[in-house]
Amino acid sequence: MARDCSTTKNDSGADGSSFDRRSYLKLTGTAAVAAAGAGAATGLGAAKEYETITIPANTAKQFTVGSGETFENKLIDISASGADVRIIASGSDWTIRNVGFSGASDVSGPHPPGKNLGGYPNLITASGTGTIEHVYMGDGVSGDMIRKGAIGIPASFAGHIDLTGVTMNGWTGNAIYAGGAAKSSGGGGTLAFDGCLLKNNNISHLRVATDGTTVKNTVIYNTNDVPLHPINGGVVNSRGVYDGYGTTSDVVTFENCDIDCTDADTNGGASALVAAHTTFEVTDSQIKGSLIGNVETTNVGSNPSHEAPKAAPTTAKQAATGVTSSGGSSKTGGKSKKKNAKKAKKSKKAKQSKKKAKKAKKAKKAKKPSDPAMKKGTKNAAAPGSRDFCFTYNGKQYCVDFSQLHALLG
């Protein structure tokens, strides 16, 4: 279980407690268990019950997730003025799953410049080895000059984290910052993104640089609504993916991604991919925007889609319930659309071929040499009211109990 460590901003020692691992579900504040409406939702399974955790105004709450622990099916409401929250995950085999953050943050992290300084730098701080799956951080910051990110990865990070179906929109201090791990003094840990959605983030949507990091089936784009970063009085420099550290021998790979970050769709400066230090290898993707530095492309077009991957939730409630909408692109596999189509075609042919072979085998088995004795077989009805059927073959009587056969088939 995860732990809750809470503080109130106008009195840092107000509750001064670290909740017991079993009692964090009884968090002070509004905690309601809601049954999500299934509706037309499909994807990760049936709608699950989830807990709503409401963070009061001017209050900061922190949850910790350690080795082997899971934090899941939570809707965390930070819509109140001055409300702040952070989940810290560390250790091994931890999981953050089906979590939705509702409400735009109006609190900057501790590093100036920025309005309302002193909050957490991000919603999730992660290290070690774990999984972040089906999480919504799409409400971003409440306006310009708030300095905050969605996920922060420390420079010492030496493990591996899988991020599947994660939504990060509208952040000013990088949607995810993980570049420091590629420093010469960094831990060199790797990240694997699959089916994620990132939109209108400042500085960078993904700041990644370590060798072995992968980005698949992910959609990144801008819509002229990137919030201002507070540096130099407010700037927009929105890069799709930026490294920041590392060497050319550090290779980050991209497959089946859609990236659309241009000056035309951004209220400021923009670029799609910036590999100023490392090497970005991009295959089977659609990219619009500048490619700067060591970017190698194979089968890359210039018509990116803005459609959300099916795995990525588009609301906080959708994330908390553990289901995805019936819409969305089919970016959930790890193969390009063309490869997926070919694979599906091959799979269909293989199934048909297997079906035909099975049918032929069955027919061959049934087509045994005719036995004259069989013609002499007699059929006998069982006792009145019985569902049995009997017949005689080569002097022996055989009966079938249709009631049991019906039970087996039903």
Side-chain angles (χ1 to χ4, degrees):
M1 301 286 266
R3 288 170 291 172
D4 163 47
C5 306
S6 308
T7 59
T8 302
K9 290 181 181 176
N10 50 20
D11 181 0
S12 61
D15 56 22
S17 64
S18 177
F19 279 45
D20 179 82
R21 290 171 183 261
R22 293 185 180 181
S23 64
Y24 82 94
L25 292 177
K26 299 174 184 177
L27 174 66
T28 302
T30 303
V33 176
T42 59
L44 297 180
K48 295 181 174 67
E49 289 187 346
Y50 64 90
E51 179 189 19
T52 297
I53 300 170
T54 301
I55 309 300
N58 302 313
T59 300
K61 291 189 181 294
Q62 187 166 279
F63 299 90
T64 61
V65 185
S67 295
E69 295 181 337
T70 297
F71 185 88
E72 63 183 348
N73 298 110
K74 311 287 181 214
L75 192 156
I76 303 175
D77 186 348
I78 56 171
S79 59
S81 176
D84 203 9
V85 71
R86 178 168 64 164
I87 300 171
I88 297 179
S90 62
S92 60
D93 300 320
W94 52 262
T95 300
I96 298 172
R97 181 193 297 122
N98 300 338
V99 175
F101 294 85
S102 176
S105 177
D106 63 355
V107 182
S108 289
H111 310 297
K115 289 195 300 187
N116 305 329
L117 289 167
Y120 299 125
N122 36 59
L123 297 183
I124 296 175
T125 297
S127 61
T129 302
T131 300
I132 301 175
E133 179 182 0
H134 203 242
V135 173
Y136 178 81
M137 293 172 280
D139 290 350
V141 297
S142 62
D144 297 331
M145 314 304 280
I146 300 294
R147 184 175 183 175
K148 203 179 192 73
I151 299 176
I153 308 291
S156 59
F157 168 56
H160 176 81
I161 298 173
D162 290 313
L163 299 99
T164 303
V166 179
T167 299
M168 296 175 274
N169 305 335
W171 299 99
T172 51
N174 302 282
I176 179 167
Y177 180 90
K183 291 180 179 180
S184 57
S185 58
T190 56
L191 304 170
F193 298 87
D194 196 352
C196 295
L197 173 65
L198 300 98
K199 180 175 70 173
N200 290 329
N201 295 295
N202 208 341
I203 309 303
S204 69
H205 292 72
L206 297 180
R207 190 158 178 174
V208 294
T210 50
D211 184 51
T213 288
T214 61
V215 185
K216 298 180 179 180
N217 312 308
T218 290
V219 176
I220 300 172
Y221 68 99
N222 288 335
T223 63
N224 285 301
D225 194 23
V226 179
L228 293 180
H229 187 284
I231 196 168
N232 296 330
V235 298
V236 169
N237 183 17
S238 180
R239 293 162 285 195
V241 186
Y242 171 55
D243 52 10
Y245 300 100
T247 66
T248 53
S249 62
D250 294 320
V251 179
V252 178
T253 61
F254 300 80
E255 183 182 352
N256 194 30
C257 292
D258 289 274
I259 302 174
D260 186 0
C261 294
T262 69
D263 289 345
D265 64 17
T266 307
N267 49 311
S271 47
L273 297 171
V274 182
H277 305 272
T278 62
T279 299
F280 289 176
E281 293 183 350
V282 188
T283 59
D284 301 325
S285 297
Q286 298 292 324
I287 312 290
K288 188 183 285 185
S290 301
L291 306 182
I292 300 171
N294 310 306
V295 181
E296 301 173 2
T297 62
T298 303
N299 191 32
V300 173
S302 57
N303 188 30
S305 169
H306 290 183
E307 192 173 13
K310 281 186 179 178
T314 54
T315 68
K317 184 176 179 180
Q318 195 181 85
T321 59
V323 299
T324 57
S325 66
S326 55
S329 72
S330 57
K331 288 182 174 296
T332 54
K335 297 288 182 184
S336 68
K337 294 173 185 175
K338 191 180 278 187
K339 285 182 179 178
N340 275 334
K342 284 182 179 178
K343 190 176 179 183
K345 197 173 181 182
K346 282 182 181 178
S347 177
K348 191 176 180 182
K349 282 184 178 178
K351 281 182 181 178
Q352 288 175 342
S353 178
K354 194 174 180 182
K355 196 175 179 182
K356 283 181 181 177
K358 196 174 180 182
K359 195 175 179 182
K361 190 176 179 183
K362 194 176 179 182
K364 190 176 179 183
K365 192 175 181 182
K367 247 186 169 182
K368 290 183 178 179
S370 61
D371 185 348
M374 186 66 184
K375 293 177 183 177
K376 296 176 184 177
T378 59
K379 299 176 183 177
N380 300 300
S386 168
R387 298 178 72 175
D388 291 351
F389 177 79
C390 301
F391 63 91
T392 302
Y393 173 63
N394 281 346
K396 292 183 180 179
Q397 190 175 48
Y398 299 87
C399 292
V400 178
D401 185 344
F402 283 104
S403 63
Q404 295 209 7
L405 181 63
H406 178 267
L408 287 170
L409 294 175

